[in-house]
């Protein structure tokens, strides 16, 4: 066969070759047509591959296995000849451009386009893998971008003899690398991935094949994200203009006689278009201090050791080796802020104006709220109030929580229109219940001992510390209690995680162990973070728990001077924009690591200008994940999630008073929601029993609300929409976030 030139007619088999399109894996692809004018794409196998021993046999078998395959994101086979002098394959012509061409010419794809790309490739591979076939050639050259989404052919060319056979897990790694290429503009930098894809694509790039998700799991993950579809075309106008020009070029080469060059658009993929889910109130809250006086702060991103991880021993960098073929992340470096950091803003504001105040029949012991309804839980009943007026919204229920919110316990959660509650009824104890926030009616309730060996006895053995939800999964985390009545600071405690289907309450999986003390459930994604420690021993440890693999352990990182991580209950760590954040070093350093790999992205060390030691508390994030807030001494510091740059520092007037009256939550307050965020306001309590509303943009106080009747720990309040709700004895008070 002669390659097509500018003169004469070049043919291969029954096809007239029109123009060369691109090269994939040593094979050349051409736009071609039949004598009747039907457009196809012909792949001509490269001579070295074609001459390889056994290639033609493998090629013939692969074609035969793939002839009947089809799918919305697959390009089907039209014809093939494994016995021709030059083997070739014809597939249905699809108007589009290769991903490599688009990225090389126009740069990285935006987040909405990346989601369409990932979803389409996952669905294509799910179809192939379900049929028992493997593609083997997913890469930026083989992926075609069309007006209606990405496309790959139903088969890749067989590997040369002696090469390891490709597997479905190899396809998944190739998918992850391809999406990463599109996100980073070809740089293969995982930091370029948007938050919505960072975890799932990072999972595709796990070094161990068995740790990677299946194509079907990818489809489910992306579908359950419920993120919006791109408005209009999924690709930029410049790219679609290039596509039109390429299609016109093929059309002109046919002399206008071709027919059917563009297939009808497929049905849009589920999961690529629904409204963005509401973010839940930060489950990584808690403005607890680990001690230390307030002092003017200095910031440093270097000279503080990175946490120790599996890639090295004690005293070495904590960044695990990246997946094969990826560039190692850069060494930790100082965030681009001055050594002094921003000047502290002294908090001072007017007293809050109450929106409404209502007295009830009993004192609540925990609160949970949406933007429309407040769930009020007491020792005898659960009631629902209208968030705008304080009036009764629905009938009360007989579910109750005797212990309520405490130092290490938080039995309620609200996610996507559903309240979750660890509760008892007059006839049963140890229940997990779900309530529809639109009606107040129970969706389901399960006994946490059901299905476990030992039955109801497990209620006394498994202590439930808190409930959290993400996507379509509800998690109950707590402690496996010992019955010998002994506690030793030399022995670890055992924690557990239970996962349930959020729609039905069906139990999905359970894990437990001494490496699971304190568990963070991010608002999205499948990776949890378990922290653990033995009180009298150092260091502590954080470890990724992969919910997508039924609680399998992932990467782990040692954290020196983090003995508080033995604490059961409310998480002492934080999630923001694809990063896990936690305190370490000598108690004065915040580390940010990639959720997928544990690789350190940045760290920020805090020092007092006068040389005194400072300690940091539990970090928490803004709802959009772009900012992380950290209690440091008597201050609250806002950092950019992307690089740890300090944005502002808020401090209390007289916070240096070691009497503690003005410090943000004293050292013993390690758990509970002592800090939360609305869309543009940060709320935090201090040890003087004052709730502060702080402008998230500036660090300045909007208002303050004092309540001397609150307990020393466990100030009872929550955020719903743009309101704060505070419970005090029999009274619940609502305050607008902006104080108006």
């Amino acid at each position: 066969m002669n390659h097509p030139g500018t003169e004469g007619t070049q043919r291969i088999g029954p096809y007239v070759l029109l123009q060369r399109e691109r090269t994939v894996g040593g094979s050349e692809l051409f736009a071609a047509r039949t004598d009747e004018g039907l457009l196809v794409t012909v792949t001509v196998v490269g001579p070295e591959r074609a001459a390889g021993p056994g290639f033609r046999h493998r090629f013939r078998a692969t074609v035969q296995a793939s002839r009947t395959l089809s799918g919305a994101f697959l390009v089907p086979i039209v014809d093939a000849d494994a016995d021709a002098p030059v083997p070739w394959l014809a597939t249905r012509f699809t108007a589009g451009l290769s991903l490599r061409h688009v990225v090389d010419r126009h740069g990285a794809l935006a987040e909405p386009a990346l989601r369409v790309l990932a979803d389409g490739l996952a669905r294509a591979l799910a179809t192939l893998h379900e049929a028992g076939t493997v593609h083997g050639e997913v890469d930026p050259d083989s992926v075609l971008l069309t007006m209606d989404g990405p496309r790959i052919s139903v088969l890749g060319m067989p590997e040369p003899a002696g090469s390891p056979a490709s597997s479905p897990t190899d396809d998944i790694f190739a998918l992850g690398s391809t999406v990463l290429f599109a996100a980073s503009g070809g740089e293969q930098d995982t930091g370029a991935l948007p938050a919505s894809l960072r975890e799932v694509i990072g999972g595709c790039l796990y070094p161990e094949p068995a740790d990677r998700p299946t194509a079907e799991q990818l489809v489910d993950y992306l579908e359950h994200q419920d993120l919006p579809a791109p408005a209009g075309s999924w690709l930029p106008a410049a790219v679609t203009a290039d596509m039109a020009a390429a299609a016109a070029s093929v059309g002109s080469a046919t002399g206008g006689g071709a027919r059917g060059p563009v297939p009808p658009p497929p049905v849009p993929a589920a999961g690529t278009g629904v409204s963005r889910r509401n973010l839940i109130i930060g489950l990584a809250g808690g403005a607890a201090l680990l001690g230390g006086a307030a002092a003017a702060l200095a910031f440093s991103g270097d000279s503080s050791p990175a946490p120790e991880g599996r890639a090295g021993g004690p005293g070495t960098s904590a960044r695990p080796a990246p997946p094969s073929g990826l560039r190692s992340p850069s060494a930790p470096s100082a965030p681009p802020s001055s050594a002094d950091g921003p000047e502290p803003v002294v908090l001072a504001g007017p007293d809050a104006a109450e929106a409404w105040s209502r007295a009830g029949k009993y004192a609540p012991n925990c609160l949970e709220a949406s933007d429309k309804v407040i769930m009020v839980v007491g020792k005898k009943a659960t009631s629902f109030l209208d968030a705008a007026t304080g009036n009764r919204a629905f009938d009360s229920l007989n579910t109750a929580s005797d212990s309520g919110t405490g130092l290490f316990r938080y039995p309620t959660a609200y996610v996507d229109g559903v309240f979750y509650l660890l509760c008892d009824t007059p006839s049963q104890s140890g229940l997990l219940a779900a309530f529809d926030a639109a009606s107040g009616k129970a969706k389901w309730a399960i006994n946490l001992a059901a299905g476990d060996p030992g039955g109801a006895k497990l209620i006394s053995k498994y202590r439930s510390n808190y409930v959290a939800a993400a996507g379509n999964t509800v998690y109950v985390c707590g402690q496996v209690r010992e019955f010998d009545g002994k506690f030793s600071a030399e022995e670890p405690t055992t924690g557990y995680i239970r996962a349930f289907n959020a729609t039905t309450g069906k139990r999905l999986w359970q894990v437990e162990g001494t490496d699971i003390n304190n568990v963070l459930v991010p608002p999205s994604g499948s990776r949890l973070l378990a922290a653990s420690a033995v009180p009298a021993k150092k260091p502590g440890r954080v470890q990724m728990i992969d919910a997508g693999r039924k609680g399998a352990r992932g990467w782990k990182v040692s954290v020196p001077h983090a003995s508080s991580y033995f604490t059961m209950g409310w998480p002492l760590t934080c999630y923001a924009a694809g990063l896990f954040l936690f305190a370490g070093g000598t108690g004065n350093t915040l580390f940010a690591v990639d959720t997928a790999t544990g690789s350190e992205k940045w760290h920020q060390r805090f020092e007092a200008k006068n040389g005194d030691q400072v300690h940091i508390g539990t970090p928490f994030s803004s709802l959009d994940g772009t900012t992380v807030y950290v209690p440091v001494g008597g201050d609250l510091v806002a950092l950019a999630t992307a690089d740890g740059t300090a944005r502002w520092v808020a401090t209390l007037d007289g916070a240096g008073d070691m009497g503690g009256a003005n410090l943000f939550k004293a050292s013993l307050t390690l758990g509970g929601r002592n800090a939360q965020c609305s869309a543009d306001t940060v709320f935090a309590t201090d040890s003087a029993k004052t709730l502060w509303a702080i402008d998230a943009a500036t660090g300045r106080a909007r208002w303050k609300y004092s309540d001397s009747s609150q307990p020393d720990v466990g100030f009872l309040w929550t955020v719903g929409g743009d309101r704060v709700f505070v419970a005090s004895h029999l009274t619940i008070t609502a305050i607008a976030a902006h104080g108006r």
Side-chain angles (χ1 to χ4, degrees), residues 578-629:
L579 301 178
F580 286 135
L581 300 104
F582 50 86
T586 56
N588 66 344
T589 304
L590 183 72
F591 292 99
V593 303
D594 186 277
T595 60
T597 65
S599 300
E600 182 186 319
K601 295 302 182 181
W602 53 263
H603 66 266
Q604 178 65 277
R605 189 175 63 170
F606 301 92
E607 299 174 331
K609 291 182 179 178
N610 61 6
D612 289 346
Q613 179 72 33
V614 296
H615 294 273
I616 65 178
T618 303
F620 60 102
S621 75
S622 61
L623 294 187
D624 62 9
T626 60
T627 305
V628 176
Y629 304 100

Side-chain angles (χ1 to χ4, degrees), residues 538-555:
K538 299 176 182 178
R541 183 172 72 179
V542 294
Q543 178 174 226
M544 189 266 282
I545 304 294
D546 194 338
R549 297 175 53 235
K550 298 185 177 181
R553 269 74 162 180
W555 55 262

Side-chain angles (χ1 to χ4, degrees), residues 115 222-229 270-277:
R115 292 201 303 268
L222 294 168
E223 185 174 285
H224 289 149
Q225 280 189 311
D226 283 357
L227 296 176
T272 59
V274 273
S275 61
R276 178 177 293 273
R277 67 170 59 254

Side-chain angles (χ1 to χ4, degrees), residues 5-394:
T6 58
E7 298 179 359
T9 300
Q10 311 297 322
R11 304 183 69 96
I12 186 165
Y15 303 104
V16 176
L17 302 183
L18 303 174
Q19 64 182 38
R20 183 185 290 107
E21 296 289 307
R22 62 192 189 279
T23 300
V24 177
S27 300
E28 291 186 286
L29 276 66
F30 299 90
R33 63 170 174 81
T34 65
D35 290 336
E36 294 77 23
L38 177 67
L39 281 174
V40 296
T41 297
V42 172
T43 300
V44 180
V45 179
E48 291 186 8
R49 177 171 286 188
F55 171 80
R56 292 175 185 267
H57 172 75
R58 294 193 303 277
F59 181 45
R60 188 182 302 108
T62 302
V63 169
Q64 186 62 34
S66 304
R67 280 189 181 276
T68 60
L69 294 177
S70 63
F73 299 97
L74 291 169
V75 180
I77 293 175
V78 175
D79 197 2
D81 190 345
D83 300 313
V86 178
W88 55 267
L89 169 74
T91 56
R92 188 177 67 184
F93 181 82
T94 303
L97 299 171
S98 75
L99 175 62
R100 185 177 299 279
H101 173 94
V102 170
V103 171
D104 286 349
R105 186 179 177 89
H106 300 283
L109 299 185
E111 179 178 3
L114 290 171
R115 292 201 303 268
V116 174
L117 174 66
D119 182 82
L121 294 181
R123 290 175 186 276
L125 292 179
T127 299
L128 297 181
H129 295 171
E130 185 178 9
T133 64
V134 176
H135 192 278
E137 276 194 333
V138 177
D139 61 26
D141 293 307
S142 67
V143 172
L144 195 67
L145 305 188
T146 78
M147 294 294 292
D148 304 303
R151 299 288 190 278
I152 56 173
S153 68
V154 294
L155 81 163
M157 288 295 165
E159 294 293 332
S163 300
S166 294
S167 67
T169 57
D170 294 327
D171 277 349
I172 295 301
F173 187 91
L175 180 153
S177 297
T178 300
V179 175
L180 183 57
F181 174 92
S184 62
E187 294 296 323
Q188 295 297 91
D189 178 7
T190 56
L193 289 166
S196 64
L197 291 175
R198 192 169 296 142
E199 293 189 27
V200 68
I201 297 304
C204 296
L205 298 171
Y206 277 160
E208 294 297 326
D211 292 338
R212 298 168 197 159
T214 66
E216 191 62 41
Q217 287 173 330
L218 286 181
V219 172
D220 290 343
Y221 179 97
L222 294 168
E223 185 174 285
H224 289 149
Q225 280 189 311
D226 283 357
L227 296 176
S233 173
W234 74 289
L235 292 169
V239 176
T240 57
D242 263 10
M243 286 184 181
S249 174
V250 174
S252 64
T254 68
R259 56 186 175 86
V262 183
V267 176
T272 59
V274 273
S275 61
R276 178 177 293 273
R277 67 170 59 254
N278 293 324
L279 294 176
I280 62 173
I281 300 302
L283 287 179
L289 291 186
L290 301 182
L297 296 177
F299 300 85
S300 172
D302 54 11
S303 74
S304 179
E308 300 158 11
R310 66 183 185 194
T316 65
S317 173
R319 296 190 306 281
S324 176
L326 297 185
R327 188 181 69 183
S328 297
S330 59
S333 60
S337 60
S338 68
D340 290 340
E343 285 297 319
V345 176
V346 177
L347 290 179
D351 291 335
E354 298 178 359
W356 54 259
S357 186
R358 297 284 185 273
K361 296 180 180 179
Y362 54 85
N365 54 24
C366 52
L367 300 175
E368 192 68 52
S370 70
D371 59 340
K372 293 181 173 60
V373 177
I374 315 162
M375 181 173 70
V376 184
V377 184
K379 293 184 177 181
K380 296 184 177 180
T382 297
S383 60
F384 300 91
L385 303 181
D386 185 295
T389 64
N391 297 328
R392 188 178 73 173
F394 315 121

